[in-house]
Amino acid sequence: MRKYYWILLFAVGLLSSCEKVKDLSDDARIERFEITSYTPTTAELGEIYRDDKSIIIPVVPEDNLFPLTLQTVLETSSTTHKVLGNYVKGQDIVFNGGESTINFFLIAESGFVHPYSISLEAMDTGADILQFKFEGSEKMTITINPWSKIVNISVLDPGFPVTIKPTIRLSEDATFADYTEGEELTFQSFEDIKEITVVSADGQTRRTWKIQFGALLQIPNSDFESWGKFGNDINLNEETIDPVPGYGKGWATANNYFVQGTRPVEHNGGYAAKMTTNEQNALIFGKLIAAGSIYTGCFKFDVGALNDPRSMTHFGIPHTVRIQSIEFDAKYEPGPQLKQAVKSGSKYSIEDREGVDVGQAFVEIIRWTGEGTFEYHGRPADGVEVLGRGEILFDGKETKYRNWAHYNIPVVYTNQTDIPTHIVIVFSSSKSGDIFLGAPGSTMEVDDVKLIY
């Protein structure tokens, strides 16, 4: 049973000190991953490559590719105790789109958690648009989607009609069938879509690409309709937020796959995200208070960060257009007794505190100018500037928060000029959960988050 003590503690992300379970290995790895068959059978798959965190499957992005169903074989090291997540041995993997990601975890003998993902990579068809830019485009968000063959230009106010003179980089030796390099394109509205056909060097492949000024970006799965089921054991067969469109690109929860502080709840004909503050029995380490949470970013377990648990919560996803505010529907219900986990010796114990619990929602617009990989844990960091911020506190003493209502959080900018790189949005059922303070039973339900431009 001691394996599960460690799984529980790691997933909570609140452990400040520990000692390793003796004689049990932290290692868990994939020894073999193979695709045995797939449908549609016309799909063209490249050679799979993988590292210690991901499996990448190259695929030619043809029409009628999805749903792409794969039958696979996964073999793990002898020190791997369990596989949890969206990958279940013996069951098909289904990709409904090119951005879909299969997320799962390998659990070592010691309980050490190794996150993995399986994703698709679009192969160059020979008739692709690889780069699209024009004067002023550095202030806009341009996405090239090889799966849908769409070049989408997002900007707050294009000022229609707008004329651009793009520079377009194609697949090697590919040519245009109906466009001249340097030709101007004039757009009258968001509905005005241009088409450019690209022909491969050998003339065998033709792809028609759509160029559009599209609607401004929203965060995928902000209606919280997509959830995943993880695990087969008792207490682990639960649902948690599906990280659409991929790990670190959309919504996540620090509660992760084992301590279920964030769950789906029926609302308005669909689902909402329900966060609950819990009292967690960590057994050999005592009792802890864990707040429910949901945020843009990802949770990365790091054995070296156990004395600094917050560093495992990575806030922020890429976003380059300023917003005015965020809107969402929510309700908040405080738990009956405010409590705090206090460490005494080697164990934590729960003590009552005066007052009423407080929920929290906030948004931050970030500019990252550092080197390497973006990393932000909600506190000052080199290369990270908070351009703007907004927050609302759901005071449990106020009964007005206990029914569903619509909220708007304006972003107050302290930097009015620089272009953002990331957006952070956080909801929590206990504002002070990071210091183990909250009322067990406090709940925050959130639905339909929207970015207002």
Side-chain angles (χ1 to χ4, degrees), residues 225-244:
E225 296 302 308
S226 183
W227 298 79
K229 204 157 201 175
F230 303 93
N232 299 309
D233 292 352
I234 187 168
N235 297 328
L236 295 183
N237 192 18
E238 305 287 358
E239 289 183 299
T240 191
I241 192 70
D242 192 2
V244 177

Side-chain angles (χ1 to χ4, degrees), residues 27-34 50-55 73-77 80 83 87 104 106 114-118:
D27 180 61
R29 63 185 183 277
I30 294 174
E31 300 284 6
R32 176 188 171 213
F33 179 85
E34 182 179 333
R50 57 184 170 89
D51 55 26
D52 59 353
K53 293 182 180 179
S54 61
I55 297 172
V73 173
L74 177 73
E75 295 179 359
T76 58
S77 61
T80 302
V83 179
Y87 186 91
F104 64 102
L106 301 187
H114 297 261
Y116 273 86
S117 66
I118 306 174

